[in-house]
Amino acid sequence: MGAGHAHKLYRSGSSLVHALPPHTKLAATFAFVVVVVSTPREAMWAFGAYAVLLGVVAAVARVPAGFLLKRLLIEVPFVAFAVLLPFVAEGERTEVLGMSLSVSGLWGAWNVLAKGTLGVAASVLLASTTELRELLLGLQRLKLPPLLVQIASFMIRYGDLITDEMRRMRIARESRGFEARGIRHWGVLAKSAGALFIRSYERGERVHLAMVSRGYAGVMPVIDEVTASRAQWSYALALPCAALVVCLLGWVL
């Protein structure tokens, strides 16, 4: 399987985290997120401990704080949703800075912000230290359904081509004096979207026929067999194991 496309989240490096096999990092990230989600929202100190653990991983991976914080902006829509919760939720009310806010809404907002931010941060760290091609190999190694892995592989491989096709179509419209200024131009944009869909579908048909003619039978060949030693699994699972200890203390305390 090959998909040699770099992505903007990846930061090249030679750290211990970069060197870990991709399937160990995927398993560790998933386990960490599950532990974070399972933590009671009242254990506010536990989420601070999780942030410290991620900070340690970022330091070991040599991922700058600025690089990480910029990519956390992807969760802005969730932040906006969380900010609204105290205003729209029902139940007991409390006064905060002269505003009447729902107590359950405040807890809900904290729950979304804390767990969402930690989950996104863990995912960004994973993407920052693992190339897309390696992620696909890791998913394959973890026995994810082959069809899903293939869909993800083709999406990554041909996403840039579709984007470039959209750019050429936009340039062609603008070279003919078109400029979308209102609802009366939506018809042209809809036709462009339809044309792009047809072109993408036809490209997919051609690619599929080319693959079948070369012996494709529903399973992609595995070029690189990724394995992991016990030591590498131990390094990768150190994060979720430490988080699990924090989670258990959060439930006890």
Side-chain angles (χ1 to χ4, degrees):
M1 180 188 300
H5 296 263
H7 59 93
K8 295 180 180 179
L9 289 177
Y10 179 69
R11 183 179 177 85
S12 180
S14 57
S15 68
L16 174 63
V17 181
H18 284 79
L20 289 175
H23 56 289
T24 64
K25 289 186 280 188
L26 282 165
T29 302
F30 177 76
F32 174 79
V33 172
V34 170
V35 171
V36 170
V37 172
S38 303
T39 304
R41 63 187 184 184
E42 292 79 11
M44 302 179 74
W45 63 270
F47 297 102
Y50 295 146
V52 171
L53 290 175
L54 289 180
V56 172
V57 174
V60 173
R62 302 188 185 96
V63 177
F67 181 90
L68 182 62
L69 292 175
K70 287 181 180 179
R71 274 108 189 122
L72 285 178
L73 293 176
I74 193 174
E75 68 162 341
V76 169
F78 298 98
V79 173
F81 170 76
V83 169
L84 290 175
L85 280 178
F87 295 95
V88 300
E90 299 180 352
E92 182 184 351
R93 314 293 292 187
T94 185
E95 291 288 333
V96 178
L97 299 177
M99 297 180 292
S100 178
L101 303 178
S102 168
V103 174
S104 61
L106 287 171
W107 278 115
W110 159 252
N111 196 48
V112 171
L113 284 176
K115 296 180 179 180
T117 300
L118 289 169
V120 172
S123 301
V124 170
L125 278 175
L126 172 65
S128 300
T129 57
T130 315
E131 294 183 354
L132 281 175
R133 177 176 175 276
E134 293 181 348
L135 283 175
L136 294 174
L137 291 173
L139 292 174
Q140 192 174 52
R141 181 69 179 177
L142 292 174
K143 305 301 181 182
L144 199 73
L147 182 59
L148 294 181
V149 178
Q150 291 179 43
I151 291 174
S153 176
F154 288 128
M155 180 184 69
I156 294 169
R157 179 176 294 277
Y158 292 101
D160 292 339
L161 292 178
I162 302 302
T163 302
D164 190 58
E165 188 77 26
M166 292 175 58
R167 182 185 61 82
R168 291 197 299 268
M169 294 174 67
R170 177 180 58 80
I171 293 175
R173 291 196 304 268
E174 293 177 351
S175 66
R176 291 164 174 79
F178 174 80
E179 183 178 353
R181 296 180 178 177
I183 191 172
R184 60 193 180 92
H185 294 122
W186 286 7
V188 177
L189 297 177
K191 291 178 182 178
S192 298
L196 179 64
F197 173 79
I198 292 174
R199 293 182 185 182
S200 302
Y201 183 83
E202 291 176 344
R203 184 190 297 273
E205 288 291 312
R206 293 195 300 271
V207 170
H208 180 257
L209 290 176
M211 291 171 60
V212 171
S213 67
R214 288 165 174 79
Y216 174 74
V219 179
M220 296 291 286
V222 179
I223 299 176
D224 301 318
E225 185 66 26
V226 182
T227 58
S229 64
R230 289 185 178 180
Q232 289 173 322
W233 272 111
S234 299
Y235 292 142
L237 295 179
L239 173 65
C241 288
L244 180 60
V245 173
V246 174
C247 179
L248 294 175
L249 289 175
W251 280 105
V252 172
L253 302 178

